[in-house]
Amino acid sequence: MIKLCLDYLRLMLFCSGLLIGIQVPAVVDQYEKRVNAQLTEAQGILAGFQQTAERFFAGDIQALLRHYELSEDAVFIDDAKNIRYIVDRVISLKAEQEVLSKSALQRTFHVLVTPEGDTFGQTMEQYSYVILIDLQALVWGVLFGFLSATLIEAILHLFGYCVMCLKPHKHEDKI
């Protein structure tokens, strides 16, 4: 009976890992779409300032920023901070987009380990669970299922071994 329960536990762990693993490509996909959307939005906001830089500063947005920052007008000084934020955001999102153009494994590793914080947080906040049925999702699912079932089973076996080692042994005295 205990063996049957353990077999079902192992099966449940595998299925849980499978369902979690299938989500990995979907998270990466939604994150990538969010990065692209935010980059498009930031570039659209920056476009007007870039046009001003084209007309008056030979296209140098940094020269426009310096002009705003050196102005004696408090409004221009304050706007310089906003423009700098937009410029930095565009640079950051372009770098993120470049990383996301690499191989599937590199993309996945990046999104799971070192994503851009705000964008990843927003992605997870708005994440809608889906079951993608494609080769990549199935591979991640089987991999997570196998690893989670194996890891938990190894921990349980190790725990059982430790309990057995701590049990007092009966010693028979022979005279």
Side-chain angles (χ1 to χ4, degrees), residues 99-165:
V99 171
L100 293 172
S101 69
K102 296 185 178 181
S103 74
L105 189 58
Q106 289 173 313
R107 262 193 332 264
T108 302
F109 180 78
H110 174 73
V111 171
L112 296 178
V113 178
T114 59
E116 196 274 323
D118 291 339
T119 306
F120 186 74
Q122 292 167 2
T123 300
M124 295 313 295
E125 235 175 67
Q126 300 295 316
Y127 182 70
S128 54
Y129 293 92
V130 295
I131 296 181
L132 293 176
I133 304 298
D134 64 3
L135 182 61
Q136 186 178 10
L138 292 175
V139 167
W140 277 102
V142 169
L143 182 67
F144 264 73
F146 176 75
L147 289 177
S148 62
T150 303
L151 182 65
I152 297 297
E153 190 168 347
I155 290 170
L156 290 175
H157 280 297
L158 183 63
F159 178 73
Y161 178 75
C162 290
V163 168
M164 293 300 287
C165 287

Side-chain angles (χ1 to χ4, degrees), residues 6 25 30 33 36 38 51 57 68 72 91 103 107 109 118 122 131 140 162:
L6 288 174
Q30 287 187 24
K33 287 176 181 171
N36 291 337
Q38 288 182 357
Q51 287 172 351
F57 299 97
Y68 272 55
E72 292 184 16
I91 291 168
S103 74
R107 262 193 332 264
F109 180 78
D118 291 339
Q122 292 167 2
I131 296 181
W140 277 102
C162 290

